[in-house]
């Protein structure tokens, strides 16, 4: 059914269609509207046979999800930013125990300084925790990925994060096609856990593992992720057959057939990039896009194949490894190390919600076509502000709070005082 609704409500409706039995809620922007809407559904009775639990923290939310999943229930929660960091220990436990929990991460920057706007710092911080990570380009895909996530998680007994850009998607009103309950029931079978606690058949779950077996346990997690590559791709095709819409999978190519410069990106910025590519193609500039849908497991073979014929790959990274560079860029480099003629450039973009404009992307892609784009670029970085602060720190030992100084310097620059 076509609806013009907020992204968070679309996700809530998609989750409800999957018939969850345990939903744990702790509010942190920008995911709050998702669990609020699910709570309202439970209260009204439109979401039946589901226990909605308000908890005291994000750590508690994931702990309750773990308990509910171990007890044999289909479990769901949502978080963002510092909330994801607060539950990190339990996040690792969920994957280590092989529990098919589904969680929305409404991606947002991590402080300090405090920032509630969108980038990918939170989800990327947990990239090695053992969860599958799927990234939505738009709200329609966010709806579709949540439904697919439950099937992927339960088939493999691996938890899945569906990452959608905070505010940019969660709070945007768009037209979405919400599947019917009959369609979702046809696609997603009733929950049949691989492992659960049963008083009639007592077992230990989460026992200590020593050095003699820990490597093998961790390798098993790695093997499950390698299996997930095929499962994610197949589940997307099964979804398309039932719902009638292609969505999800491992990667998505756009105007890539003869591209000299391939842009690599994930999340909502893909829409802006496609617009820029269309404009550049009208001018005869051969630029294409590789959109990554599954970030963990990383689709290395698909990335290699997509970039094999290009001269330059421009990776749009919305998170930063301080002192090194882009997070996604490292995965692209690892996947294409045998392509000796491929130049890979990292463009750090949109940190803390800064707009990624078509004008700035045009400049970066034009520079890449000319072979002039540096290996590492910070899009729209105002170096004057940073240089002034570094100079101040060298001259004054008690230079004060750094973030506040930068904010003041930016304001002074706009007034022409710097």
């Amino acid at each position: 059914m076509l609806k013009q609704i907020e992204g968070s409500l679309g996700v809530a409706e998609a989750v409800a269609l999957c018939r969850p039995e345990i939903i744990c809620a702790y509010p942190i922007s920008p995911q709050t509207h998702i669990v609020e809407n699910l709570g309202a559904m439970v209260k009204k009775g439109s979401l039946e046979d589901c226990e909605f639990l308000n908890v005291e923290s994000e750590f508690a939310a994931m702990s309750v999800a773990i308990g509910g999943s171990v007890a044999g229930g289909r479990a769901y929660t949502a978080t963002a930013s510092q909330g994801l960091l607060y539950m990190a220990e339990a996040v690792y436990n969920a994957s280590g125990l092989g529990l098919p929990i589904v969680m929305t991460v409404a991606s947002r920057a991590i402080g300090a300084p405090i920032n509630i706007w969108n980038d990918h710092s939170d989800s990327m911080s947990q990239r090695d925790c053992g969860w599958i990570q799927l990234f939505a380009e738009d709200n329609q895909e966010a709806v579709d990925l949540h439904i697919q996530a439950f099937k992927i998680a339960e088939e493999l007994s691996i938890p899945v994060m569906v990452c959608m850009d905070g505010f940019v998607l969660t709070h945007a009103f768009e037209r979405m096609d919400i599947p019917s309950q009959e369609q979702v029931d046809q696609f997603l079978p009733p929950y049949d856990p691989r492992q659960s606690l049963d008083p009639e058949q007592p077992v230990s779950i989460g026992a200590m593992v020593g050095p003699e077996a820990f490597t093998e346990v961790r390798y098993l997690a790695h093997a499950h992720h390698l299996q997930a590559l095929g499962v994610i791709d197949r589940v997307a095709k099964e979804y398309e057959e039932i719902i009638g819409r292609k969505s999800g999978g491992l990667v998505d190519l756009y105007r890539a057939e003869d591209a000299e410069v391939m842009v690599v990106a994930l999340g909502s910025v893909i829409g802006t990039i496609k617009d820029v590519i269309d404009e550049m193609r009208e001018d005869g500039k051969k630029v294409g896009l590789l959109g990554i849908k599954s970030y963990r497991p990383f689709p290395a073979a698909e990335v290699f194949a997509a970039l094999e014929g290009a001269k330059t790959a421009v990776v749009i990274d919305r998170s930063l490894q301080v002192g090194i560079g882009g997070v996604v860029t490292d995965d692209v480099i690892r996947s294409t190390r045998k392509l000796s003629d491929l130049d890979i450039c990292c463009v750090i973009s949109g940190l803390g919600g800064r707009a990624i404009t078509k004008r700035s992307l045009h400049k970066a892609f034009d520079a890449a076509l000319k072979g002039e784009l540096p290996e590492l670029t910070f899009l729209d970085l105002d170096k004057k502000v940073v240089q002034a602060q570094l100079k101040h720190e060298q001259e004054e030992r008690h230079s004060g709070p750094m973030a506040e100084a930068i904010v003041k310097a930016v304001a002074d620059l706009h007034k022409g005082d710097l």
Side-chain angles (χ1 to χ4, degrees):
M1 179 184 294
L2 289 175
K3 296 182 177 182
Q4 184 82 9
I5 54 176
E6 186 193 48
S8 292
L9 177 56
V11 168
E13 292 193 6
V15 170
L17 289 169
C18 296
R19 302 185 187 276
E21 296 162 292
I22 304 100
I23 297 174
C24 324
Y26 188 81
I28 179 172
S29 293
Q31 64 85 15
T32 308
H33 291 181
I34 299 173
V35 290
E36 278 183 349
N37 281 298
L38 284 165
M41 293 177 200
V42 173
K43 185 176 181 179
K44 289 189 299 183
S46 58
L47 177 51
E48 300 176 341
D49 302 320
C50 179
E51 186 170 359
F52 187 92
L53 294 98
N54 288 305
V55 292
E56 72 277 11
S57 70
E58 290 88 357
F59 183 87
M62 183 51 60
S63 298
V64 169
I66 288 171
S69 184
V70 166
R74 182 174 279 166
Y76 169 83
T77 190
T79 194
S81 189
Q82 267 87 340
L84 181 59
L85 297 189
Y86 190 25
M87 65 166 66
E89 179 185 350
V91 166
Y92 272 78
N93 285 338
S95 57
L97 294 174
L99 300 174
I101 299 163
V102 172
M103 175 168 66
T104 307
V105 176
S107 292
R108 157 189 154 188
I110 293 173
I114 190 68
N115 180 293
I116 66 167
W117 290 273
N118 167 244
D119 64 26
H120 292 162
S121 300
D122 51 5
S123 49
M124 291 297 167
S125 77
Q126 300 301 304
R127 64 190 179 275
D128 300 323
C129 70
W131 286 56
I132 290 172
Q133 290 185 331
L134 307 177
F135 277 77
E137 175 183 345
D138 53 30
N139 279 328
Q140 182 64 71
E141 193 164 58
V143 165
D144 298 334
L145 287 179
H146 278 85
I147 298 170
Q148 293 178 45
F150 280 100
K151 187 165 188 175
I152 294 165
E154 290 166 15
E155 181 168 330
L156 295 163
S157 207
I158 300 175
V160 178
M161 291 182 199
V162 180
C163 305
M164 60 187 298
D165 287 351
F167 296 110
V168 179
L169 295 184
T170 56
H171 288 56
F173 281 74
E174 297 180 29
R175 192 177 75 161
M176 286 165 265
D177 183 8
I178 308 298
S180 67
Q181 187 65 69
E182 292 74 21
Q183 287 176 311
V184 175
D185 288 344
Q186 182 184 353
F187 171 76
L188 180 64
Y191 183 38
D192 181 21
R194 288 194 182 186
Q195 55 176 339
S196 62
L197 294 173
D198 182 354
E200 300 300 322
Q201 295 178 317
V203 295
S204 294
I205 295 179
M208 180 176 287
V209 175
E212 72 285 351
F214 195 78
T215 297
E216 286 72 19
V217 171
R218 296 306 295 161
Y219 183 80
L220 180 62
H222 177 65
H224 285 158
H225 267 246
L226 296 181
Q227 289 178 351
L229 289 166
V231 172
I232 292 167
D233 193 46
R234 174 176 55 76
V235 165
K237 292 174 182 175
E238 293 173 358
Y239 187 83
E240 182 180 3
E241 289 175 4
I242 294 172
I243 307 299
R245 176 174 56 252
K246 184 178 180 182
S247 189
L250 298 173
V251 300
D252 183 38
L253 296 175
Y254 185 74
R255 308 195 75 164
E257 58 282 347
D258 61 345
E260 296 176 4
V261 170
M262 283 289 289
V263 183
V264 184
L266 39 75
S268 63
V269 71
I270 286 175
T272 306
I273 293 170
K274 286 179 177 178
D275 290 342
V276 172
I277 288 173
D278 288 342
E279 293 171 2
M280 298 185 78
R281 283 284 180 170
E282 289 178 2
D283 294 333
K285 298 174 181 179
K286 296 180 178 181
V287 182
L289 170 71
L290 168 61
I292 295 176
K293 306 297 182 182
S294 168
Y295 180 63
R296 285 291 183 268
F298 192 77
E302 287 74 14
V303 170
F304 182 94
L307 301 182
E308 192 170 8
K311 295 179 181 178
T312 305
V314 179
V315 185
I316 304 299
D317 246 307
R318 301 206 58 201
S319 58
L320 171 65
Q321 298 176 100
V322 175
I324 300 177
V327 177
V328 181
T329 302
D330 280 359
D331 294 288
V332 173
I333 291 171
R334 189 177 299 109
S335 302
T336 59
R337 60 189 180 278
K338 294 183 180 179
L339 298 178
S340 57
D341 295 331
L342 178 69
D343 290 329
I344 299 176
C345 303
C346 172
V347 179
I348 305 294
S349 314
L351 299 185
R354 175 169 290 183
I356 303 175
T357 65
K358 290 168 61 176
R359 179 181 179 183
S360 295
L361 291 177
H362 267 288
K363 290 173 62 177
F365 301 163
D366 275 328
L369 284 165
K370 297 174 185 176
E372 298 174 355
L373 187 65
E375 185 176 324
L376 177 61
T377 300
F378 287 77
L379 197 68
D380 296 331
L381 174 69
D382 195 330
K383 287 188 177 180
K384 288 183 180 179
V385 170
V386 179
Q387 290 167 351
Q389 174 62 17
L390 290 172
K391 183 173 183 286
H392 178 58
E393 290 174 4
Q394 290 173 350
E395 295 174 349
E396 177 61 56
R397 172 61 182 170
H398 301 288
S399 53
M402 292 180 290
E404 286 75 4
I406 289 290
V407 170
K408 182 178 183 301
V410 169
D412 291 343
L413 183 67
H414 288 167
K415 292 188 297 184
D417 295 338
L418 188 64

